[in-house]
Amino acid sequence: EADIYQTPRYLVIGTGKKITLECSQTMGHDKMYWYQQDPGMELHLIHYSYGVNSTEKGDLSSESTVSRIRTEHFPLTLESARPSHTSQYLCASSAGPSGAYNEQFFGPGTRLTVL
Amino acid sequence: AQKVTQAQTEISVVEKEDVTLDCVYETRDTTYYLFWYKQPPSGELVFLIRRNSFDEQNEISGRYSWNFQKSTSSFNFTITASQVVDSAVYFCALSEDNYGQNFVFGPGTRLSVLP
């Protein structure tokens, strides 16, 4: 069973606040991902990382930033939250660097509401 | 360009009915991988199956079966004798070695199994 954790699970904050969504995995996976998803809707890749000190922007433009200082940790930060950021954020990881073969394991998600 | 289409936005069936979820993909790669994920109301994506482009054998796992046909670029998913617990959003995804090894997800099909 995959071990990937996200905190907080739910977050309600006011506009303009800085927030960090945490994601950690204990599987030693090289690759990690952040997706944005309105509940039950399409997943949009916003950031990914192939290893320590590697970060890339995904297909969907996002005002968030990420860092990858440790293999197991891939936090996402919003410097100034806005109501348009209200969504579910899913973190995932997969083993690498063996190519596209490996499935992604997902965390439980963080449901963010910005008032 | 890579693309995954799930034409059925929502499906409702009565318990014990069989149901097939369609997935059609587009790719220029000769090596690629197809996946199905389940997202129950709790929000976490659960990996169901992976198929590589060189293996067209159909697969059965309990009440679940998958039909991969390269000739029609389809990877359909059938649930036999559906149960209420099968109610979820199901996502089909494509991964390619030459597309940065990231996933392209379909828009999802919401399955409701009524008692």
Side-chain angles (χ1 to χ4, degrees):
Chain A
E1 187 169 317
D3 294 315
I4 180 163
Y5 308 98
Q6 291 185 243
T7 57
R9 292 291 311 277
Y10 302 91
L11 180 61
V12 181
I13 60 166
T15 297
K17 299 292 186 183
K18 177 180 179 179
I19 60 168
T20 296
L21 307 184
E22 301 288 348
C23 176
S24 295
Q25 49 94 5
T26 59
M27 298 168 284
H29 286 171
D30 287 324
K31 299 178 186 176
M32 296 189 75
Y33 312 82
W34 277 104
Y35 293 88
Q36 184 174 341
Q37 181 197 31
D38 290 333
M41 304 297 285
E42 195 165 351
L43 283 83
H44 299 284
L45 180 67
I46 53 175
H47 297 283
Y48 61 97
S49 167
Y50 285 168
V52 172
N53 294 326
S54 152
T55 61
E56 302 286 345
K57 289 188 179 295
D59 303 322
L60 181 68
S61 175
S62 173
E63 295 166 345
S64 58
T65 59
V66 293
S67 63
R68 189 87 183 277
I69 299 173
R70 305 197 313 266
T71 297
E72 64 272 20
H73 194 215
F74 191 41
L76 180 146
T77 299
L78 276 168
E79 291 293 331
S80 179
R82 296 206 306 266
S84 61
H85 296 138
T86 295
S87 190
Q88 173 163 257
Y89 294 83
L90 291 165
C91 181
S93 72
S94 66
S98 54
Y101 172 80
N102 295 295
E103 68 269 31
Q104 294 185 11
F105 295 96
F106 283 80
T110 294
R111 296 201 178 184
L112 173 66
T113 302
V114 184
L115 304 175
Chain B
Q2 314 81 6
K3 187 177 179 181
V4 175
T5 301
Q6 294 178 255
Q8 305 147 308
T9 304
E10 293 191 32
I11 302 175
S12 288
V13 299
V14 177
E15 203 169 19
K16 298 183 183 176
E17 285 185 4
D18 299 347
V19 58
T20 295
L21 310 182
D22 297 334
C23 172
V24 174
Y25 62 91
E26 294 177 26
T27 177
R28 292 181 182 173
D29 263 7
T30 55
T31 303
Y32 54 89
Y33 305 87
L34 296 162
F35 303 80
W36 274 96
Y37 281 82
K38 174 182 180 180
Q39 187 176 39
S42 60
E44 186 170 345
L45 269 83
V46 178
F47 166 72
L48 295 178
I49 192 172
R50 169 187 49 240
R51 233 340 161 236
N52 75 56
S53 52
F54 300 109
D55 181 3
E56 285 193 74
Q57 280 193 350
N58 292 332
E59 180 156 341
I60 298 175
S61 176
R63 295 184 297 107
Y64 295 172
S65 62
W66 291 269
N67 185 337
F68 176 32
Q69 291 194 342
K70 288 179 73 172
S71 61
T72 56
S73 297
S74 64
F75 186 42
N76 296 338
F77 173 30
T78 296
I79 302 174
T80 303
S82 60
Q83 300 177 0
V84 173
V85 293
D86 295 327
S87 297
V89 181
Y90 291 87
F91 292 93
C92 182
L94 166 70
S95 177
E96 303 167 323
D97 278 341
N98 292 326
Y99 176 54
Q101 305 159 13
N102 289 339
F103 278 28
V104 174
F105 281 90
T109 296
R110 181 180 300 276
L111 174 65
S112 297
V113 181
L114 308 174

